[in-house]
Structure formats: C-alpha cells, structure tokens
Amino acid sequence: MHKTPAEKDAFVAANLGLVHSLAHRLKGRGIEYEELYSAGCVGLVKAMEGFDESRGLKFSTYAVPVILGEMKRLFRDGGSVKVSRSLKELSLKVSRERDKLSISLGREPTVGELSEALGVEPQLISEAINVALPTISLTQPDDDGGGQIDVEVESPEELLSDRLALREVLKELDEKDRLLLVMRYYKNWTQTQTATCLGMTQVQVSRREKKLLLFLRGKLLE
C-alpha cells in the first residue's frame, strides 16, 4: 500500500481493533495477552505493507492470517525471546565500549557513536543494548501470596499519537534544522558527521541541537 508515513500511522491506529480481537481469541493458552497483542501489531504492519488493493480483497481478509501467523510464532517459540550467542557476545562488547566512551565523552554515547567505534550496524547495536536489559516476570510470587505484577506500559495508541504530534511540530522547523535532527536521531550520525554534511562545525551542531530539543520539548508539553 503506497501511503505517506502519517497515513500509515493513521491506518494502523484504525485497525488496532482487529489485533485486539485476534489476541483475545488466543489468550489463556500460556502466552500473556500483552505478548500476543505486541506480536499482532507486528503482523498488522506487515499486512499493511504487503496488501495489494488491486486484488479485490478486503484488508481484514488479507490481514487476519498474517496477524495470526505472528501470534502463533510465540507458541512455537515458547513465548520467549531466543538470543543468539553472537548477539550475547556483541552485547558484552557494547557494554564495555559504552563504559569507555562515557568516560572519554563525559556523557552517555549515542547508538551512532557506538556503531562507529565498534564498526557494527546501528540496528545490531540497538539489539545488543536491549539484550543487556533485565527481564521482568509478570508472575513473580509476592509476600501476600499473589502471583501477578502489573507493569505499566505505554499503549500503541499513545505511541502513535506521540509520533503524529512530533511530525506536526517538525513541520514548523526549517529544512536545515529538520535535517540536523534526522541525521542525529534517525540515522544516528555523530555530531561531527552531521556538521560535515551541513557545512557547520561540531560545536555549532551541538549548540543548535540543544536549542532544537528545548523547542520540541516545549511544543510537545504545551
């Protein structure tokens, strides 16, 4: 489906009810509802990207088996995320490099800086960082004999709303400022790389970036 990013977000939001419906059908079989819903959202996005309107099918007809396929994958995998040995090893390298860069930079390094230092794709760096995060059991026993922990999470609807709000605010910036933010936070470029591309110095990028972040924060919290 050929849609703009904003249209895609709106389309996904409009079809989340389908994901909820299918998740309810499979709950109670050993996989938490939240995991089913999360997998279903992945399936919904895949279905949107692969749907061909010219075939004359309703979107729901095409999407249901795709969404169910992602949910059923959880049952095949036992509901747990399996981490490869290579990713575990990369996670250790990233952790050590992050400590080193934190000392030399005087701040937490970005994904782009870790990527550049280790010569590894930013996506793999992000995955390695996630591997190092502690897992939380939703069924830990407690002193009162209960077995449920309620973990507050941001709903997909809220995430979509935040993304749409951010896009609207970005439209208020001039092209050079938008490019600066895209390079720094979407492409994970270093300030030096961004400065070279935009014809600025690293110090100018740093100062401009701080002003832009303050502007965005103010707009989004209005």
Side-chain angles (χ1 to χ4, degrees):
M1 301 178 72
H2 300 292
K3 295 179 179 293
T4 65
E7 289 174 334
K8 287 182 179 181
D9 287 344
F11 187 87
V12 168
N15 286 280
L16 286 174
L18 186 60
V19 178
H20 279 295
S21 176
L22 295 174
H24 278 294
R25 282 170 53 180
L26 295 179
K27 72 177 182 179
R29 302 185 186 183
I31 301 294
E32 295 287 343
Y33 178 85
E34 289 79 9
E35 290 185 69
L36 291 168
Y37 181 76
S38 178
C41 287
V42 172
L44 176 60
V45 173
K46 286 185 177 180
M48 176 188 65
E49 297 291 352
F51 181 56
D52 185 356
E53 294 173 322
S54 65
R55 294 182 179 179
L57 288 174
K58 287 185 177 180
F59 174 74
S60 58
T61 303
Y62 176 83
V64 166
V66 180
I67 295 171
L68 284 175
E70 290 298 318
M71 291 180 178
K72 290 177 179 177
R73 191 192 305 275
L74 292 175
F75 293 96
R76 292 197 300 272
D77 294 342
S80 61
V81 178
K82 293 178 173 55
V83 180
S84 67
R85 181 176 179 179
S86 61
L87 190 56
K88 289 180 181 178
E89 292 174 350
L90 177 59
S91 177
L92 292 174
K93 290 181 181 179
V94 169
S95 180
R96 289 194 292 266
E97 190 65 32
R98 182 164 58 179
D99 290 340
K100 287 168 56 179
L101 287 176
S102 294
I103 295 173
S104 62
L105 296 173
R107 58 172 172 77
E108 189 76 9
T110 65
V111 171
E113 288 167 338
L114 288 168
S115 171
E116 185 177 358
L118 293 172
V120 177
E121 290 293 325
Q123 182 179 350
L124 285 176
I125 295 293
S126 297
E127 291 179 11
I129 291 173
N130 287 333
V131 167
L133 295 176
T135 57
I136 299 176
S137 171
L138 298 179
T139 55
Q140 284 183 350
D142 57 33
D143 294 336
D144 298 325
Q148 184 71 33
I149 297 176
D150 294 324
V151 180
E152 185 176 342
V153 296
E154 195 169 8
S155 71
E157 292 90 343
E158 290 173 332
L159 289 172
L160 286 169
S161 176
D162 289 345
R163 288 177 63 185
L164 290 171
L166 179 58
R167 283 202 178 97
E168 289 303 311
V169 174
L170 287 174
K171 290 178 182 178
E172 299 182 27
L173 304 178
D174 62 37
E175 184 177 1
K176 190 171 184 178
D177 285 341
R178 283 199 301 272
L179 281 174
L180 187 152
L181 293 176
V182 166
M183 292 172 185
R184 290 286 292 128
Y185 294 96
Y186 287 86
K187 295 185 177 181
N188 291 314
W189 286 14
T190 64
Q191 289 183 347
T192 301
Q193 290 173 316
T194 302
T196 300
C197 184
L198 296 178
M200 303 168 66
T201 66
Q202 183 271 328
V203 173
Q204 288 174 327
V205 168
S206 178
R207 290 174 179 171
R208 190 59 187 165
E209 182 180 328
K210 289 178 181 178
K211 289 182 180 179
L212 290 172
L213 292 178
L214 286 173
F215 170 77
L216 292 177
R217 186 179 294 116
K219 282 288 184 178
L220 292 172
L221 293 177
E222 283 181 352

